[in-house]
């Protein structure tokens, strides 16, 4: 195949990256790779094994046991399997969300995740979303975006998502959790969250979902 097309989308939690990327991937018939889900999967596995998040050595030791695989269900939903088990729902719990930054800051974890992400992107047209995609995972990507929105708007969107799943949402607490995660992700030493110089900034605070999708779609297909 000719050189695969790579679309990289970075941005803070709740900016709408994954919703936009999923729709674009379906329309373009590209693979969608949710890299945040991979860090969540490692976090879920560490919780399952009852390993302390402070025990870096133990976490590094279990890394080779974790085999991750994405699979599309035929309707544009991407399921994540860990050692053959579908953990797509399990990785979305508040417990995983509130601990994932501790896992994502570990150098060895990041090296392994980036290696797997680059392997997938080498042979397929992909849309990948995360925090370090434009700078570290796909520095040669043809299209790079930094999607963001105000903290208020992001908390509102995440809250609506959780409510749709039947959860009771405390918006002030959710706002604080997202702000804390942004801060940890932005201040870590390895691949901190920040806009790459060559990424196009798109603030979605006042844009509706379909406008954002169309904007990216027209840039990618121009
Ligand atoms: O996109 P998300 O909220 O599901 O990501 C979960 C966490 O994983 C987020 O707090 C930061 C981290 N992450 C990362 O460090 N690098 C990525 N490429 C993707 C996510």
């Amino acid at each position: 195949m000719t050189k695969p097309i790579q679309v990289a989308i970075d941005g803070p939690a709740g900016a709408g990256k994954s919703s936009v990327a999923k729709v674009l991937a379906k329309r373009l018939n590209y693979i969608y790779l949710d890299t945040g889900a991979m860090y969540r999967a490692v976090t879920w596995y560490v919780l399952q094994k009852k390993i302390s998040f402070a025990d870096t050595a133990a976490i590094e030791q279990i890394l080779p046991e974790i085999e991750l695989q994405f699979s599309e269900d035929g309707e544009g939903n991407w399921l994540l399997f860990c050692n053959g088990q579908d953990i797509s729902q399990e990785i979305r719990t508040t417990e995983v969300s509130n601990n994932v930054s501790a896992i994502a800051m570990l150098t060895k974890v990041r090296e392994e995740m980036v290696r797997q992400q680059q392997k997938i992107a080498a042979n397929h047209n992909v849309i990948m979303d995360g925090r370090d995609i434009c700078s570290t995972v796909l520095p040669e990507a043809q299209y790079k975006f930094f999607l963001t929105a105000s903290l208020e708007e992001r908390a509102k969107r995440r809250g609506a998502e959780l409510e749709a799943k039947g959860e009771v949402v405390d918006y002030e607490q959710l706002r604080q959790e997202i702000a804390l995660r942004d801060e940890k992700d932005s201040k870590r030493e390895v691949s901190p969250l920040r806009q790459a110089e060559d990424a196009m900034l798109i603030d979605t605070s006042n844009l509706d979902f379909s406008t954002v999708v169309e904007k990216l779609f027209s840039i990618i297909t121009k």
Side-chain angles (χ1 to χ4, degrees):
M1 118 183 227
T2 49
K3 194 169 184 273
I5 309 280
Q6 300 176 339
V7 181
I9 307 179
D10 287 323
K17 303 182 298 292
S18 63
S19 311
V20 169
K22 250 182 254 172
V23 172
L24 284 174
K26 194 160 183 230
R27 272 173 77 173
L28 294 161
N29 200 22
Y30 290 5
I31 282 188
Y32 166 53
L33 203 91
D34 176 354
T35 63
M38 297 171 72
Y39 292 96
R40 286 172 178 272
V42 177
T43 308
W44 172 81
Y45 194 83
V46 167
L47 284 166
Q48 292 291 300
K49 293 279 169 186
K50 302 199 186 327
I51 296 170
S52 158
F53 287 103
D55 193 347
T56 309
I59 295 169
E60 288 175 0
Q61 206 178 352
I62 51 101
L63 271 182
E65 292 172 19
I66 306 176
E67 201 211 304
L68 300 178
Q69 211 180 356
F70 285 96
S71 159
E72 204 254 352
D73 69 354
E75 292 177 6
N77 302 308
W78 287 84
L79 306 176
L80 178 57
F81 292 82
C82 176
N83 300 336
Q85 181 186 346
D86 180 359
I87 56 162
S88 314
Q89 303 296 325
E90 286 79 350
I91 60 170
R92 302 292 161 194
T93 60
T94 304
E95 191 181 22
V96 170
S97 297
N98 289 346
N99 287 296
V100 63
S101 292
I103 288 294
M105 63 182 268
L106 301 177
T107 306
K108 284 269 160 40
V109 172
R110 299 202 71 83
E111 281 173 2
E112 180 53 24
M113 295 301 113
V114 170
R115 190 187 66 77
Q116 293 191 21
Q117 291 153 12
Q118 289 177 334
K119 197 169 147 199
I120 296 169
N123 306 313
H124 301 98
N125 292 335
V126 285
I127 297 192
M128 224 185 258
D129 77 341
R131 307 294 189 284
D132 59 340
I133 311 304
C134 298
S135 53
T136 306
V137 184
L138 304 177
E140 305 294 327
Q142 291 91 335
Y143 303 99
K144 295 184 179 182
F145 301 97
F146 189 85
L147 235 62
T148 190
S150 67
L151 179 60
E152 265 60 36
E153 186 59 30
R154 292 186 287 121
K156 216 165 87 184
R157 292 179 194 167
R158 264 289 148 90
E161 258 172 40
L162 294 170
E163 279 177 350
K165 283 197 280 179
E167 291 187 31
V168 178
V169 179
D170 176 338
Y171 276 88
E172 181 46 32
Q173 190 185 337
L174 186 60
R175 210 179 70 87
Q176 286 174 17
E177 285 169 1
I178 293 177
L180 186 65
R181 194 139 67 86
D182 286 350
E183 190 184 304
K184 284 186 193 157
D185 293 339
S186 306
K187 291 199 172 147
R188 68 174 177 233
E189 277 177 35
V190 208
S191 298
L193 163 70
R194 67 177 56 122
Q195 182 188 349
E197 270 178 24
D198 53 355
M200 182 186 287
L201 175 68
I202 299 188
D203 185 336
T204 70
S205 304
N206 299 309
L207 300 177
D208 64 23
F209 179 69
S210 57
T211 307
V212 180
V213 171
E214 289 313 320
K215 201 175 166 92
L216 269 64
F217 185 78
S218 68
I219 293 169
I220 297 165
T221 54
K222 198 158 63 185

